[in-house]
Amino acid sequence: MIWPRPKDPDSARQVDRALEIARQLCRIGYPSYLIGGAVRDSILEIPTLDVDICTSCPADIIRESLPEAKPWGPRRYSVFRVVTELGEIEIAHFRKELDYDGRHCVIQLVDNFEEDVHRRDFTVNAIAVNPDTLEVIDLVGGFADISARVIRAIGEPAIRFKEDRLRMLRAVRFAAKLGFRMENATLSAITLEGSGIKSLSAERIRNELSAIVSGPHPGRGMLIAHELGLWEHLFPERADDPQSRGWERKLSTAERAAQAGLDKTVMWALFLLPAGEPEEEDILAVADAIRRLKFPKRAGQRILELCKAVLYAKNFADIPLRIAIEIADAPYLESLRELVYIRDPNDDFETELARRFPMLDKPPFLTGEALKKAIAGIAGNEVRRRLIALRGAELSGKIRSAEEARAFLADKPRHHQRTRL
């Protein structure tokens, strides 16, 4: 069978560059093949920039022949990446696993392509392409499983998952992305081995979850994780969600959000917030999940702030002015609007936001040096209160010019005390 090259223009450009690299390595005497996601997705006519090459070429020859290829990861894996304007092409040496503990593998670089294929995770990810002829090389029945729309572990499923427990979560990701069912033996092995996923590092779990969260069918991913018994291990803070009345809505909301192209921060918030209306303790649970999954500080803070804002948004008319202003001026406001609406199109947050702050689209009248001059001479412990009151007056339309803003700041603070800050 001749491999059908991608129809999507960007995918085709990325694949063409990878084919050039693989042919170059073949010409200097080292068998090299396209393998994995790009091969699978092109057969399915899915656009993809995930292009991998496997090769017998030693690292020193790759450095010499492909100066644009940069080493990546531990040296023992002999992995290189070529950066293109569309992403990265990965070049990895043929290898096999010698020993494992479910988290790490002892590997050996080999020159045998068949050994490399048989150590891979799922049949649909182990189809290769000869770069010269574009002939499909399928040693494990991957094409038949693509045709049958099945995720099947290569070899004995229990062994595959004991080698690396992250493969269980990868099975969820591929089943969700592709809309494939899980082959029975593969499914049974995951349900038996599922609790072992907790032994993986937080970073590996988070990275794989991120691919599901930002994938084309995150709601489907949630459902599959629950059906396989993985949800409670991945999200212990949300372990009760599948039994709640809001579970189906949570799944459909995640699907709608993905179709709307909402960003990863919003998608993570959807996963971490409860299926129903959030309460204060739910925000504490979100913070626990962010710490447990060891999010980078900035990313975790964005997700937590967005989740807190969802809690405040349901009573926006009644929250203190200080918090309302923080939300109105926050860089995440548009994300919050999208998140609140996607969770409940009938929510009145947008109405209350417009009612409380009709001048929301207007910038502050005083900024920079002008603002510094206006607050000069005001006691330090009073500055913050007056600035909050000023911003509230600007947003509500009570102040309509820079002159009025200066006068407001210069006035005695008696009228500032009337507003609950």
Side-chain angles (χ1 to χ4, degrees):
M1 173 186 170
I2 300 301
W3 179 58
R5 290 175 65 260
K7 295 180 180 178
D8 171 66
D10 285 344
S11 301
R13 286 170 58 201
Q14 189 79 333
V15 159
D16 285 346
R17 179 69 184 106
L19 287 170
E20 289 175 7
I21 293 171
R23 288 168 186 154
Q24 183 176 345
L25 296 176
C26 288
R27 282 196 297 270
I28 59 177
Y30 298 99
S32 304
Y33 307 91
L34 266 63
I35 196 165
V39 177
R40 176 199 68 224
D41 289 349
S42 188
I43 292 171
L44 290 165
E45 298 186 353
I46 298 173
T48 182
L49 301 176
D50 174 22
V51 187
D52 296 333
I53 297 168
C54 61
T55 183
S56 62
C57 187
D60 57 340
I61 303 297
I62 290 178
R63 290 190 188 94
E64 180 182 326
S65 304
L66 294 168
E68 70 272 33
K70 305 303 179 186
W72 184 85
R75 182 178 297 180
R76 65 183 181 275
Y77 288 106
S78 190
V79 175
F80 290 79
R81 286 184 172 177
V82 174
V83 177
T84 74
E85 61 182 22
L86 296 171
E88 295 175 330
I89 296 169
E90 187 166 288
I91 308 167
H93 200 289
F94 301 152
R95 66 178 184 260
K96 67 177 181 180
E97 278 85 17
L98 299 179
D99 197 9
Y100 53 84
D101 63 4
R103 296 176 297 163
H104 312 96
C105 285
V106 177
I107 67 102
Q108 176 183 339
L109 301 183
V110 298
D111 294 327
N112 188 295
F113 170 63
E114 290 191 18
E115 285 186 286
D116 183 79
V117 168
H118 283 91
R119 63 92 189 167
R120 292 177 179 267
D121 53 8
F122 306 108
T123 60
V124 297
N125 295 337
I127 306 171
V129 170
N130 182 310
D132 290 319
T133 65
L134 297 189
E135 180 184 2
V136 169
I137 305 168
D138 182 8
L139 305 179
V140 292
F143 186 78
D145 284 339
I146 286 177
S147 299
R149 304 183 70 79
V150 167
I151 300 295
R152 184 192 309 272
I154 295 172
E156 178 58 44
I159 293 176
R160 290 284 86 82
F161 300 135
K162 285 177 180 176
E163 287 172 345
D164 186 353
R165 296 188 180 102
L166 191 70
R167 287 170 172 165
M168 294 186 284
L169 195 48
R170 283 170 60 81
V172 173
R173 172 159 66 92
F174 293 126
K177 173 185 174 179
L178 303 173
F180 285 14
R181 67 178 176 85
M182 209 80 68
E183 179 266 336
N184 288 338
T186 302
L187 185 153
S188 296
I190 294 175
T191 56
L192 286 173
E193 298 289 335
S195 62
I197 207 164
K198 294 184 292 186
S199 68
L200 295 168
S201 71
E203 290 83 0
R204 293 189 75 201
I205 292 175
R206 188 191 69 241
N207 289 340
E208 196 63 37
L209 282 173
S210 284
I212 297 172
V213 166
S214 58
H217 293 289
R220 188 188 292 165
M222 286 187 199
L223 180 60
I224 294 170
H226 165 55
E227 291 175 340
L228 294 176
L230 296 178
W231 177 265
E232 64 190 65
H233 304 306
L234 297 169
F235 296 102
E237 301 84 3
R238 298 269 75 89
D240 294 336
D241 271 8
Q243 286 74 49
S244 73
R245 288 187 297 176
W247 175 243
E248 292 295 330
R249 189 179 75 172
K250 182 167 182 168
L251 300 181
S252 61
T253 296
E255 290 292 292
R256 292 198 313 275
Q259 291 167 14
L262 302 190
D263 67 36
K264 189 181 290 189
T265 300
V266 175
M267 300 307 300
W268 265 112
L270 281 172
F271 267 64
L272 296 177
L273 283 167
E277 288 296 331
E279 303 294 340
E280 296 253 355
E281 58 267 27
D282 294 310
I283 305 305
L284 295 176
V286 169
D288 289 342
I290 288 170
R291 283 192 294 270
R292 178 176 55 79
L293 291 169
K294 295 186 178 178
F295 274 87
K297 183 175 181 180
R298 187 174 177 184
Q301 186 175 357
R302 286 200 302 264
I303 295 168
L304 183 59
E305 286 175 350
L306 189 55
C307 291
K308 284 181 181 177
V310 171
L311 173 65
Y312 290 127
K314 67 179 183 178
N315 295 308
F316 190 77
D318 300 320
I319 62 175
L321 179 63
R322 172 184 57 81
I323 297 175
I325 291 171
E326 286 177 4
I327 292 174
D329 285 342
Y332 58 73
L333 178 61
E334 288 309 310
S335 293
L336 175 63
R337 287 168 142 166
E338 292 172 331
L339 179 55
V340 169
Y341 178 79
I342 207 84
R343 293 184 89 239
D344 182 6
N346 296 316
D347 192 278
D348 61 1
F349 170 61
E350 201 66 50
T351 300
E352 293 300 334
L353 182 64
R355 182 178 295 154
R356 189 166 186 179
F357 296 144
M359 299 293 110
L360 180 62
D361 294 331
K362 302 293 184 182
F365 289 110
L366 295 178
T367 58
E369 289 301 319
L371 180 59
K372 288 181 181 178
K373 290 181 180 178
I375 61 175
I378 300 175
N381 58 359
E382 181 63 26
V383 169
R384 181 171 175 271
R385 176 177 289 277
R386 293 205 201 183
L387 289 177
I388 292 172
L390 170 65
R391 187 62 182 139
E394 289 176 330
L395 289 167
S396 64
K398 296 174 182 176
I399 289 177
R400 298 178 181 275
S401 69
E403 290 72 20
E404 290 182 3
R406 290 190 190 91
F408 184 92
L409 288 172
D411 196 7
K412 291 183 179 179
R414 61 182 181 279
H415 58 281
H416 305 158
Q417 305 287 349
R418 298 177 193 145
T419 304
R420 185 167 60 101
L421 301 182

